[in-house]
Amino acid sequence: VVGDPSINEVRFFAVEVKNKHGDLERTGTIWLDELRVSDVRKDIGTAARFDFNGKMADLLDYSFGWRSRNPYFRGISATTRGGSQDNLGSGVSERSYNFNLSMNLQKFLPRSWNSSLPIGFSYSKSTQIPVLRTASDIVLPEELREQEKSESITKGFRLSESFDKKGSNPLFSLLLNRQKLNMSYSQSQRTSVTQPYAYSESFSLGGQFNMSIAKVPSIPLFSWAKSIPIINKTKGTKLSLYPSRWDWSF
């Protein structure tokens, strides 16, 4: 095989008819087939999947998923119209699996704290092995397909917390009960023939803090008018010296 042959690169066909008998005239009709397909492959498409999930009381949730599909598999809903790329499957062997785990850590804390402390982990991996060489119609031997595979791995972590303990403990009433935090982190890396290495990561952090107080100080503005008709209706009007609700968030 020379170069990178691909049917997609064909733009036109040229045909020449040459008279080898000089001035001897010939008449007739010539029929040409623009393209003929022979020895059509009858590949069988297969796919499989496995999902497993469970729960351990109200402490732990977990799930696991596995997928596999060969290059010739088509879903039932795939179109059958001529020329559709779906007709021949993806042309790539695909294998993937993912794992998720979440745990309620507040179950290890005193119930009186009324806390929420969920934590979660996730992991997924996907591998794609092509049948054809990249950007060509060349069928790769089995031993060479691994060299052109694409692989991606994603990892993630998340955590949030909040408290609502009743009582006068200053640690909770002035700090822990007033704040809420949440954070997440994800990391992704991918390798392929066209992009030998790609890496990305993201981190987010958010929170809220309640600056409100139980008894807001205020000043009566029209207490002096309680003996004056009509105006005495405003005697209950007060000016607050502090916001009734004040939250900080980031």
Side-chain angles (χ1 to χ4, degrees), residues 7 20 23 25 42-43 159 176 187 204 209 211 229 241:
I7 195 67
K20 294 183 178 181
D23 297 334
E25 294 185 359
K42 298 181 179 180
D43 300 305
L159 172 68
L176 295 181
Q187 179 189 99
S204 68
F209 192 86
M211 295 289 293
L241 302 179

Side-chain angles (χ1 to χ4, degrees), residues 216-223 236-241:
V216 179
S218 60
I219 300 175
L221 297 179
F222 299 100
S223 58
T237 303
K238 297 180 180 180
L239 173 65
S240 296
L241 302 179

Side-chain angles (χ1 to χ4, degrees), residues 11-244:
R11 294 291 180 265
F12 66 90
F13 290 92
V15 178
E16 178 185 11
V17 178
K18 186 176 183 180
N19 185 356
K20 294 183 178 181
H21 298 280
D23 297 334
L24 183 61
E25 294 185 359
R26 300 286 184 178
T27 60
T29 302
I30 298 175
W31 294 80
L32 297 175
D33 286 333
E34 182 181 3
L35 190 65
R36 176 177 294 178
V37 178
S38 60
D39 299 327
V40 179
R41 297 184 310 187
K42 298 181 179 180
D43 300 305
I44 299 176
T46 58
R49 68 180 183 180
F50 173 80
D51 293 294
F52 177 79
N53 59 76
K55 189 172 185 177
M56 186 180 296
D58 55 354
L59 173 64
L60 186 69
D61 292 327
Y62 54 88
S63 65
F64 174 81
W66 174 83
R67 303 284 188 276
S68 178
R69 183 171 66 178
N70 79 348
Y72 316 108
F73 177 78
R74 285 191 304 152
I76 295 177
S77 61
T79 179
T80 57
R81 295 177 181 175
S84 170
Q85 294 180 353
D86 293 333
N87 284 347
L88 301 178
S90 65
V92 177
S93 296
E94 300 180 26
R95 298 192 303 268
S96 64
Y97 67 90
N98 61 81
F99 176 79
N100 291 275
L101 175 69
S102 60
M103 181 182 296
N104 296 317
L105 295 182
Q106 69 269 18
K107 299 302 178 181
F108 298 101
L109 301 177
R111 183 175 297 181
S112 61
W113 289 10
N114 292 320
S115 59
S116 176
L117 194 61
I119 185 173
F121 303 92
S122 62
Y123 178 90
S124 64
K125 181 178 180 180
S126 175
T127 303
Q128 299 179 330
I129 302 176
V131 173
L132 305 179
R133 195 169 75 181
T134 302
S136 77
D137 288 338
I138 301 174
V139 177
L140 291 168
E142 291 285 348
E143 62 273 12
L144 297 181
R145 294 179 186 178
E146 286 285 336
Q147 298 179 8
E148 299 212 9
K149 74 176 181 180
S150 300
E151 188 174 77
S152 63
I153 299 175
T154 303
K155 307 172 185 177
F157 167 81
R158 60 190 181 277
L159 172 68
S160 62
E161 58 87 14
S162 65
F163 296 87
D164 188 21
K165 177 179 170 58
K166 307 301 180 182
S168 57
N169 187 326
L171 176 63
F172 287 89
S173 60
L174 299 179
L175 179 61
L176 295 181
N177 286 354
R178 293 175 171 271
Q179 56 81 48
K180 295 181 180 179
L181 290 175
N182 60 82
M183 63 164 292
S184 65
Y185 172 80
S186 65
Q187 179 189 99
S188 178
Q189 57 185 18
R190 178 178 175 82
T191 58
S192 65
V193 175
T194 57
Q195 193 174 24
Y197 183 76
Y199 176 85
S200 64
E201 61 180 347
S202 63
F203 174 79
S204 68
L205 175 66
Q208 179 180 338
F209 192 86
N210 182 7
M211 295 289 293
S212 304
I213 58 178
K215 295 182 178 181
V216 179
S218 60
I219 300 175
L221 297 179
F222 299 100
S223 58
W224 52 270
K226 60 183 178 180
S227 59
I228 302 176
I230 301 177
I231 300 179
N232 61 4
K233 295 180 179 181
T234 63
K235 62 182 180 181
T237 303
K238 297 180 180 180
L239 173 65
S240 296
L241 302 179
Y242 195 85
S244 59

